[in-house]
């Protein structure tokens, strides 16, 4: 598990290799990640957007940005958490992801970024 706290928001990530398949004559490696966002601050916050940088073994970078996470923009009161599971495809059996969430503090009405720590994606057979 990888964890990081930014401005009182704790991000925890667990990953899992799901398998491989062929798509358009290329092998694809499927990975799942589960993220828990925990509000350890004294203010209510809302997650509005996400930004990802997905790297494969050759350091090719795919950038993915969008509103919310899996169709939701969760509001977290102090002490609350939100957990979701998503996934990505790589063209190699290992890589990494990193990024940030754009959030708003309801008390101050200020927008801020919460760092998603870099986490590795690796198929068990590819580990040295």
């Amino acid at each position: 598990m990888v964890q990081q706290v930014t401005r009182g928001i704790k991000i925890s990530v667990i990953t899992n290799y799901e398998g491989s398949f062929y798509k358009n004559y290329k092998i694809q490696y499927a990975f799942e990640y589960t993220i828990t966002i925990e509000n350890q601050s004294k203010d209510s916050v809302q997650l509005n957007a996400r930004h990802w940088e997905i790297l494969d073994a050759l350091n090719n970078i795919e950038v993915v940005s969008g509103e919310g996470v899996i169709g939701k923009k969760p509001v977290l009161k102090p002490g609350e958490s939100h957990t979701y599971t998503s996934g990505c495809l790589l063209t190699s059996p290992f890589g990494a992801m990193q990024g940030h969430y754009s959030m708003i503090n309801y008390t101050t009405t200020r927008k801020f970024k919460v760092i998603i720590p870099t986490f590795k994606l690796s198929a068990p057979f590819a580990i040295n």
Side-chain angles (χ1 to χ4, degrees):
M1 178 184 295
V2 177
Q3 297 180 325
Q4 184 166 334
V5 178
T6 306
R7 299 181 116 184
I9 308 301
K10 181 179 178 181
I11 306 297
S12 304
V13 185
I14 299 171
T15 62
N16 190 42
Y17 173 67
E18 292 294 304
S20 62
F21 62 93
Y22 282 92
K23 179 180 177 184
N24 298 329
Y25 304 104
K26 286 186 174 181
I27 192 163
Q28 301 283 304
Y29 299 89
F31 295 91
E32 174 185 89
Y33 53 89
T34 299
I35 297 184
T36 299
I37 304 160
E38 183 182 347
N39 185 357
Q40 297 179 336
S41 76
K42 59 180 175 48
D43 300 322
S44 292
V45 298
Q46 181 177 24
L47 187 156
N48 289 321
R50 70 194 182 287
H51 175 85
W52 287 109
E53 294 174 5
I54 306 167
L55 297 90
D56 69 11
L58 299 175
N59 281 332
N60 295 315
I61 299 175
E62 179 184 0
V63 176
V64 177
S65 295
E67 291 191 9
V69 289
I70 61 167
K72 297 179 181 177
K73 294 183 177 180
V75 174
L76 302 173
K77 295 177 183 171
E80 291 184 339
S81 63
H82 177 77
T83 299
Y84 72 96
T85 300
S86 191
C88 73
L89 298 174
L90 296 180
T91 56
S92 62
F94 55 92
M97 291 178 67
Q98 63 186 18
H100 67 266
Y101 295 123
S102 296
M103 302 187 88
I104 187 165
N105 180 313
Y106 276 176
T107 303
T108 65
T109 68
R110 290 191 180 165
K111 295 179 181 179
F112 64 102
K113 290 182 180 178
V114 173
I115 302 300
I116 304 166
T118 301
F119 56 92
K120 295 179 181 176
L121 304 165
S122 57
F125 62 83
I127 298 174
N128 202 352

